[in-house]
């Protein structure tokens, strides 16, 4: 083929390759959108019957709770249903994140309320485990602009993982503090959750934020989980322009360190908001 014609063929091939690639990308995007909307619709519809199952199990526990065997069965039914409901909630969240619909909902929030979040998660998750929990919360600029629900969900996920993956007799440290940021009107909220649990292998750490992945030792040890919590944590932290660092040694324990920049509510804004109320 004469060189001039070869150039035309090459250009032609490049263009056709680009069209094939563009079509493939378009199809992949459509597929992804269809998957997300299917997950969203399905999860949404599953929630109502799950809530009914939990509600009726609670009612039955109240009325027939005097028989030990029945109480035990109902307790298990409720536990499994609550796990399923949490799973559905997480799938819904992942579908929202993957469809790009998840956004930040920032408003002034008092960081001292993190104490209440910790009470709730510790109360709910620690159950019959013999763990030593140390809390250290140092907050000075209480009011900041942030998405408080997402911050609370991050803390709940990290603390409940620390509890789940730490055998009896272990220790969990929750350190939450404010650090100086570059701008004077901002702070960095630093959340550090450490445990003396089963730890994570270096090989698995790069995959830890992928949805539905679990390390072999945690799934084989019979600890319940879905592999969705940390995917949600990472997406929320990314949305808030923050960072997550993991330090871990198998058999010794793990530390998850999250840093989130937050703008401090100024004195004028505080006065304005008080007047509007
Ligand atoms: P889940 O705990 O529901 O499986 P996550 O997304 O929260 O899902 O965590 C993903 C995986 O990371 C877990 O299955 C477990 O293998 C590992 N992991 C998370 N937190 C810890 C921890 N504190 N200690 C040991 N392994 C952990």
């Amino acid at each position: 083929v004469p060189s001039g014609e070869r150039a035309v063929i090459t250009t032609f091939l490049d263009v056709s390759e680009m069209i094939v690639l563009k079509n493939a990308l378009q199809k992949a995007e459509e597929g992804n959108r269809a998957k997300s909307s299917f997950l969203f619709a399905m999860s949404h519809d599953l929630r109502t019957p799950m809530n009914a199952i939990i509600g009726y199990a609670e009612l039955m526990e109240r009325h027939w709770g005097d028989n030990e065997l029945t109480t035990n069965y109902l307790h298990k039914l409720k536990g499994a249903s609550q796990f399923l409901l949490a799973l559905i909630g997480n799938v819904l969240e992942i579908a929202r994140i993957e469809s790009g619909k998840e956004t930040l909902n920032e408003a002034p929030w008092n960081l001292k309320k993190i104490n209440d979040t910790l009470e709730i998660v510790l109360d709910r998750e620690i159950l019959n485990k013999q763990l030593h929990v140390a809390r250290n919360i140092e907050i000075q600029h209480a009011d900041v602009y942030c998405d408080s629900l997402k911050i609370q969900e991050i803390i709940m996920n990290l603390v409940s993982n620390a509890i789940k993956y730490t055998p009896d007799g272990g220790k969990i440290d929750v350190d939450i503090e404010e650090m100086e940021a570059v701008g004077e009107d901002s702070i960095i909220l630093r959340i550090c959750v450490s445990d003396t649990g089963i730890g994570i292998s270096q090989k698995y750490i790069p995959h830890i934020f992928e949805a539905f992945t679990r390390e072999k030792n945690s799934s084989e040890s019979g600890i319940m989980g879905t592999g969705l919590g940390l995917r949600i944590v990472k997406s929320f932290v990314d949305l808030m322009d923050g960072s997550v660092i993991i330090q871990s040694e198998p058999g010794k324990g793990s530390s998850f360190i999250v840093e989130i920049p937050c703008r401090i509510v100024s004195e004028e804004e505080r006065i304005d908001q008080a007047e509007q109320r």
Side-chain angles (χ1 to χ4, degrees):
V1 183
S3 65
E5 281 174 38
R6 213 180 299 143
V8 172
I9 290 171
T10 316
T11 318
F12 172 73
L13 281 179
D14 282 347
V15 171
S16 72
E17 270 171 2
M18 270 169 66
I19 292 172
V20 170
L21 200 67
K22 208 172 145 216
N23 285 343
L25 272 175
Q26 232 163 19
K27 280 211 176 99
E29 274 168 17
E30 277 164 22
N32 246 342
R33 264 198 299 275
K35 185 191 77 183
S36 294
S37 55
F38 168 73
L39 281 179
F40 195 81
M42 187 197 68
S43 317
H44 203 263
D45 288 350
L46 284 176
R47 265 178 150 171
T48 315
M50 278 321 298
N51 273 320
I53 293 171
I54 295 170
Y56 281 114
E58 269 168 6
L59 273 178
M60 284 154 82
E61 224 175 7
R62 218 172 293 159
H63 292 295
W64 299 334
D66 46 359
N67 177 316
E68 203 179 313
L69 199 64
T70 322
T71 312
N72 188 12
Y73 289 162
L74 287 172
H75 188 71
K76 285 192 173 139
L77 174 69
K78 222 172 71 181
S81 314
Q82 271 159 350
F83 175 78
L84 253 178
L85 191 67
L87 170 64
I88 294 165
N90 281 345
V91 171
L92 208 65
E93 190 66 71
I94 296 281
R96 223 182 0 244
I97 289 167
E98 292 195 344
S99 65
K101 282 190 193 136
E102 190 61 73
T103 50
L104 283 183
N105 188 8
E106 289 185 314
W109 193 60
N110 190 311
L111 285 176
K112 291 191 172 148
K113 290 190 184 151
I114 286 178
N115 275 305
D116 304 338
T117 315
L118 280 176
E119 288 293 333
I120 296 169
V121 66
L122 290 171
D123 236 37
R124 195 183 63 196
E125 306 277 337
I126 220 153
L127 294 169
N128 303 321
K129 276 194 137 177
Q130 308 289 319
L131 295 173
H132 178 73
V133 182
R135 278 189 255 177
N136 176 30
I137 302 190
E138 282 176 29
I139 302 290
Q140 295 101 40
H141 294 95
D143 291 326
V144 296
Y145 280 97
C146 64
D147 188 324
S148 58
L149 289 180
K150 290 192 177 59
I151 289 182
Q152 291 180 83
E153 204 167 329
I154 290 170
I155 295 173
M156 290 209 181
N157 268 311
L158 297 182
V159 174
S160 81
N161 275 353
I163 295 172
K164 249 185 352 189
Y165 298 109
T166 304
D168 275 10
K171 187 166 183 268
I172 292 170
D173 280 289
V174 183
D175 288 292
I176 299 182
E177 57 175 332
E178 269 180 39
M179 294 193 322
E180 272 181 32
V182 181
E184 266 182 23
D185 62 345
S186 298
I187 54 121
I188 290 175
L189 176 67
R190 186 176 189 273
I191 301 162
C192 177
V193 181
S194 305
D195 62 59
T196 57
I198 60 173
I200 306 157
S201 69
Q202 290 304 310
K203 220 171 88 194
Y204 177 65
I205 288 182
H207 304 285
I208 204 161
F209 296 121
E210 290 167 13
F212 298 108
T213 59
R214 304 194 71 209
E215 192 173 19
K216 223 166 157 218
N217 68 352
S218 49
S219 46
E220 280 173 356
S221 60
I223 303 169
M224 293 267 259
T226 56
L228 293 177
L230 289 181
R231 167 78 173 95
I232 294 173
V233 165
K234 180 74 169 79
S235 308
F236 285 179
V237 169
D238 286 348
L239 264 178
M240 293 187 254
D241 286 331
S243 62
V244 195
I245 295 174
I246 302 169
Q247 293 161 348
S248 188
E249 209 179 313
K252 293 239 165 97
S254 317
S255 292
F256 286 78
I257 303 153
V258 170
E259 291 187 358
I260 301 166
C262 305
R263 188 168 76 73
I264 303 164
V265 176
S266 69
E267 202 47 48
E268 296 90 74
E269 286 167 330
R270 222 192 311 269
I271 295 166
D272 274 358
Q273 280 150 19
E275 280 171 0
Q276 277 167 23
R277 262 182 235 135

